[in-house]
């Protein structure tokens, strides 16, 4: 089949795309001006006042980015259905978040995941170290992968270059991240999930119609062999579909998703960290107005995780059937001709299907789907990254930072992330044989598996100590960095070429390696913990699942624990200015914002006045969560009351 030239060729496609932008921008602007954004608490946690349904949709959108439509569909085109396990195994992890991890985070009153480790163990090194690791994952995996995959689709659809497409995406994302806060991100995510689901289902149905249904998929996929595979002496069967393409449980010693490594890596040895302890996901759950709404959000996200089989995996396989010479090109020369990537062209499977199969108008809809996927994920990642940097790093150096200062710093850091992500894209695009999703899965596995083991121990085993957690995570991740470097120093050979890489690369599949890392981290942490001083009762208070079980009950009230909390509160300044100081005030945004400051009324220029309105900054730098003002959490509470108090107020309101 002749290859279609890139670019829309009908006015209906442009109209559909324009409608998408109009709707999303309208929702974004509405949410920007309806939400309070002048405090760190409101900007980064949406005032903890949102219902379950937009949060559940946002959790799904934060995970399902363009790397799924591009990368996962491409991997499915090459390897078959096994890649869907990464999605389906997220369901029990999401249930664990709602019923095990989230009550602990609520009880400890944390804003960020590195802050939880600080609350659990004390000290700063574990918190700072995990902050750095999280930012590395955000920059070199989430942001770069989503930007690149979104740019590929725009390149295929409209014909723009990769970097022109990238800067267009960054411009759209900047509107939400720099002007709005978490509230804006969550509500625009909710709209874009609806677009993704409707558009993805249309593609799947029309793809099935083109090939003749499910039974024809089973037959035709196995015969989807490119002409380039037969052009020369192809003893390695390059370009051929794998014999176990429709199997999820594959050979434990094979190179294509061995089942023990796949199921362990996508659950307790890796993915549980992403779903239960990553800032990207947990920050959304913490924005819920009560425990009930937070659990409902995780349930909704879990149900939606069934859909990628029909949104990405099957369409990717259908694309190979319809366009085997392009999607499954077998030689570097042919791949360079098709997509300018000698490592392979599987990443064009989804956009190729959309552009060739869909009628005018629907092509624009599917570009809207892709834009929705990349924008929703990028806004979520940028918001979470700026939250961690502002609260876990900047506050370490600027303890007296005002709300305005921290909001500005968070936005400036987003711009810095833009630059780093663009610079990393060329390196990322050539890795893992040109299969974008495999790059993402292997990269994040090398870093998240040890963190997964440490968070599980921190929440479930009260004997874990700070030295055990720190050195266990450090050792596991150092081993992962070594493997990650070797993967780039010794790139995978092309099909049929002699593999001269070291045994540590060729002999251990990256899925098994991630499981080994988690085991190394866990065993090291346990041994060191048993040899060091046990944590104190104060460190364990509400910081493990067993000590925070009372928070599992939605009827739990802070008043029942008033005597214990009194030990952590010092009442001062009873004249209505400062009602109390939380023992966690060092990590609480808003601490000391009025100390030694005098609010002086100033006459400011009109441009500065409107800039403050657009950015959500008030002319007076007031402390966070002042009672009685717009955006406060229900009934008046101490302006510096603990975050457990604020959550309890929302619980009682929801009840």
């Amino acid at each position: 089949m002749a290859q279609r030239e890139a670019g829309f060729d009908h006015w209906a496609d442009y109209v559909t795309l324009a409608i998408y932008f109009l709707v999303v921008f309208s929702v974004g602007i509405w949410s920007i001006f309806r939400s309070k954004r002048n405090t760190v608490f409101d900007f980064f946690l949406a005032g903890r006042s949102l219902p379950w349904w937009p949060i559940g949709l946002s959790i799904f959108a934060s995970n399902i980015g363009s790397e799924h439509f591009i990368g996962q569909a491409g991997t499915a085109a090459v390897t078959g259905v096994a890649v869907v396990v990464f999605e389906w195994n997220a369901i029990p992890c999401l249930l664990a978040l709602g019923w095990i991890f989230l009550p602990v985070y609520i009880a400890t009153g944390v804003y960020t995941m590195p802050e939880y480790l600080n609350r659990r163990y004390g000290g700063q090194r574990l918190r700072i170290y995990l902050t750095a690791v999280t930012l590395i994952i955000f920059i070199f995996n989430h942001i770069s992968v989503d930007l690149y995959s979104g740019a590929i689709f725009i390149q295929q659809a409209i014909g723009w270059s990769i970097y022109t497409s990238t800067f267009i995406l960054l411009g759209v994302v900047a509107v939400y991240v720099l002007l709005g806060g978490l509230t804006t991100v969550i509500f625009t995510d909710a709209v874009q999930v609806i677009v993704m689901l409707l558009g993805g289902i249309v593609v799947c149905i029309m793809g099935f119609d083109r090939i003749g249904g499910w039974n024809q998929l089973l037959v035709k996929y196995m015969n989807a062999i490119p002409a380039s595979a037969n052009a020369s002496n192809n003893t390695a069967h390059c370009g051929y579909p794998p014999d176990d393409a429709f199997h999820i449980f594959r050979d434990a010693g094979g190179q294509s998703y061995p089942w023990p490594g796949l199921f362990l890596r996508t659950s307790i040895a890796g993915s549980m960290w992403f779903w239960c302890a990553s800032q990207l996901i947990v920050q959304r759950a913490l924005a819920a107005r009560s425990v009930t709404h937070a659990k409902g959000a995780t349930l909704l996200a879990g149900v939606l995780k069934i859909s990628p089989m029909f949104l990405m995996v099957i369409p990717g396989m259908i694309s190979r059937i319809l366009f085997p010479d392009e999607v499954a090109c077998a030689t570097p020369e042919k791949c360079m001709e098709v997509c300018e990537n000698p490592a392979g062209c599987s990443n064009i499977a989804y956009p190729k299907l959309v552009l060739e199969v869909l009628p005018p108008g629907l092509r624009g809809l599917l570009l809207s789907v892709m834009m929705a996927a990349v924008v929703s994920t990028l806004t979520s990642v940028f918001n979470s990254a700026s939250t961690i940097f502002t609260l876990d790093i900047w506050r370490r150096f600027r303890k007296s930072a005002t709300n305005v200062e921290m909001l500005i710093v968070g936005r400036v850091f987003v711009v810095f992330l833009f630059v780093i992500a663009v610079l990393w894209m060329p390196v990322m695009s050539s890795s893992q044989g040109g299969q974008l999703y495999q790059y993402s899965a292997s990269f994040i596995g090398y870093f998240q598996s040890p963190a997964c083991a440490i968070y599980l121990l921190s929440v479930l085993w009260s004997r874990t100590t700070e030295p055990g957690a720190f050195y266990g995570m450090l050792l596991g991740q150092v081993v992962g960095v070594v493997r990650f470097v070797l993967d780039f120093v010794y790139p995978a050979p092309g099909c049929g070429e002699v593999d001269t890489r070291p045994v540590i690369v060729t002999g251990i599949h990256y899925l098994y390696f991630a499981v080994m890392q988690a085991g190394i981290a866990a065993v090291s942490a346990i041994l060191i913990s048993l040899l060091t001083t046990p944590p104190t009762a104060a460190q364990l208070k509400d910081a493990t699942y067993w000590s925070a079980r009372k928070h599992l009950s939605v009827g739990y009230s802070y008043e029942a624990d008033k005597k214990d909390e009194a030990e952590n509160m010092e009442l001062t300044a009873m004249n209505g200015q400062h009602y109390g100081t939380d023992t966690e005030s060092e990590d609480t945004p808003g601490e000391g914002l009025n100390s030694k400051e005098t609010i002086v009324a100033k006459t400011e220029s009109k441009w500065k006045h409107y800039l403050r309105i657009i950015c959500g900054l008030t002319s007076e730098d007031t402390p966070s969560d002042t009672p009685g003002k717009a955006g406060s959490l229900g009934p008046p509470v101490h302006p510096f009351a603990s975050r457990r108090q604020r959550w309890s107020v929302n619980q009682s309101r929801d009840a």
Side-chain angles (χ1 to χ4, degrees), residues 572-647:
T572 58
M574 294 298 184
N575 61 356
Q577 298 299 317
H578 289 175
Y579 290 88
T581 302
D582 199 327
T583 56
E584 301 169 308
S585 62
E586 182 180 346
D587 297 321
T588 304
E591 174 218 9
L593 298 184
N594 276 352
S595 59
K596 300 182 181 180
E597 291 186 17
T598 303
I599 305 300
V600 180
K602 296 181 179 180
T603 303
E604 58 184 11
S605 60
K606 287 186 177 181
W607 71 267
K608 187 175 182 180
H609 173 71
Y610 289 123
L611 181 63
R612 284 184 178 274
I613 293 176
I614 292 173
C615 294
L617 304 175
T618 59
S619 59
E620 295 182 357
D621 196 10
T622 56
S624 301
D625 310 321
T626 305
K629 292 190 177 184
S632 61
L633 305 179
V637 294
H638 301 316
F640 290 86
S642 72
R643 283 157 285 182
R644 278 183 286 171
Q645 275 185 303
R646 300 184 187 118
W647 191 280

Side-chain angles (χ1 to χ4, degrees), residues 248-266:
I248 288 179
F249 291 90
R250 299 187 175 182
D251 182 7
Q255 289 299 309
S256 177
Y257 297 118
W259 75 266
L262 179 61
F263 278 82
L264 288 173
R265 160 64 179 80
T266 57

Side-chain angles (χ1 to χ4, degrees), residues 10 17 46-47 113 125 144 177 238 285 380-381 383 410-411 421 457 542 575 584 618 633:
H10 198 278
L17 190 60
M113 294 302 93
R125 63 178 179 177
S144 298
V177 179
C238 300
S380 300
V381 171
N383 182 268
R411 287 164 167 138
L457 289 174
D542 292 337
N575 61 356
E584 301 169 308
T618 59
L633 305 179

Side-chain angles (χ1 to χ4, degrees), residues 345-583:
C345 293
S346 61
N347 290 331
I348 72 168
Y350 198 85
K352 183 73 176 174
L353 180 68
V354 168
L355 296 175
E356 296 283 358
V357 172
L358 297 187
L362 287 182
R363 294 179 193 144
L365 172 64
L366 264 297
L367 179 58
S368 302
V369 169
M370 189 56 54
M371 293 291 290
V374 67
V375 170
S376 63
T377 301
L378 287 175
T379 53
S380 300
V381 171
F382 281 127
N383 182 268
S384 296
S386 63
T387 302
I388 286 183
F389 177 81
T390 303
L391 302 185
D392 290 308
I393 294 181
W394 188 258
R395 288 281 293 171
R396 296 298 94 205
F397 301 98
R398 291 277 298 170
K399 295 183 183 297
S400 60
T402 65
N403 268 315
V404 171
E405 177 182 336
M406 288 190 288
L407 291 174
I408 292 175
V409 166
R411 287 164 167 138
V412 171
F413 184 68
V414 168
V415 177
F416 169 77
L417 292 178
F418 286 172
V419 176
I420 298 299
V422 171
L423 294 177
W424 182 251
M425 282 171 51
V427 179
M428 172 207 62
S429 64
S430 62
S431 66
Q432 288 295 333
Q435 295 183 46
L436 191 64
Y437 196 78
Q438 289 220 50
Y439 161 84
S440 177
S442 61
F443 178 93
I444 200 171
Y446 295 151
F447 286 92
Q448 76 176 9
S449 294
C452 178
I454 297 306
Y455 268 97
L456 281 171
L457 289 174
S458 300
V459 170
L460 298 177
W461 192 43
S462 60
R463 184 62 177 81
T464 312
T465 64
E466 193 275 343
F470 177 76
Y471 289 110
M473 185 185 298
L474 181 63
L475 181 59
Q477 289 179 338
V478 165
V479 173
V481 169
V482 171
R483 171 63 185 262
F484 180 67
V485 171
L486 289 175
D487 282 345
F488 276 95
V489 174
Y490 300 98
C495 181
E497 297 179 0
V498 178
D499 195 342
T500 59
R501 295 176 295 169
V503 176
I504 190 176
V505 178
T506 61
I508 306 176
H509 195 280
Y510 77 87
L511 294 174
Y512 285 130
F513 199 87
V515 175
M516 289 174 55
Q517 285 181 261
I520 291 172
V523 171
S524 301
I526 291 172
L527 292 177
I528 296 174
S529 295
L530 293 175
L531 296 174
T532 52
T533 305
T536 64
Q539 289 175 324
L540 295 176
K541 186 177 186 301
D542 292 337
T544 68
Y545 171 75
W546 315 111
S547 60
R549 290 182 68 181
K550 57 190 172 185
H551 291 274
L552 289 171
S553 170
V554 297
Y556 172 78
S557 172
Y558 172 76
E559 297 301 323
D561 201 26
K562 189 173 182 180
K563 293 183 179 180
D564 292 336
E565 181 65 17
E567 299 175 0
N568 300 325
M569 297 283 292
E570 296 180 5
L571 300 178
T572 58
M574 294 298 184
N575 61 356
Q577 298 299 317
H578 289 175
Y579 290 88
T581 302
D582 199 327
T583 56

Side-chain angles (χ1 to χ4, degrees), residues 75-86:
T75 298
V78 175
T79 65
V81 301
V83 70
V84 78
V85 175
F86 282 92

Side-chain angles (χ1 to χ4, degrees), residues 1 4 69-70 73-74 77 153 156 199-211 217 310-323 326-327 345-359 362-363 366:
M1 182 179 294
R4 180 183 181 273
F69 284 96
I70 296 294
F153 196 95
Q156 292 288 314
I201 291 172
V202 168
V203 171
C204 186
I205 292 174
M206 297 195 71
F208 270 131
D209 180 68
R210 176 67 72 91
I211 66 172
L217 174 68
F310 308 98
L311 300 182
M312 301 102 178
V313 174
I314 290 177
M317 300 175 74
I318 292 174
S319 183
R320 180 191 178 114
I321 294 172
L322 297 177
F323 318 105
E326 291 87 3
V327 173
C345 293
S346 61
N347 290 331
I348 72 168
Y350 198 85
K352 183 73 176 174
L353 180 68
V354 168
L355 296 175
E356 296 283 358
V357 172
L358 297 187
L362 287 182
R363 294 179 193 144
L366 264 297

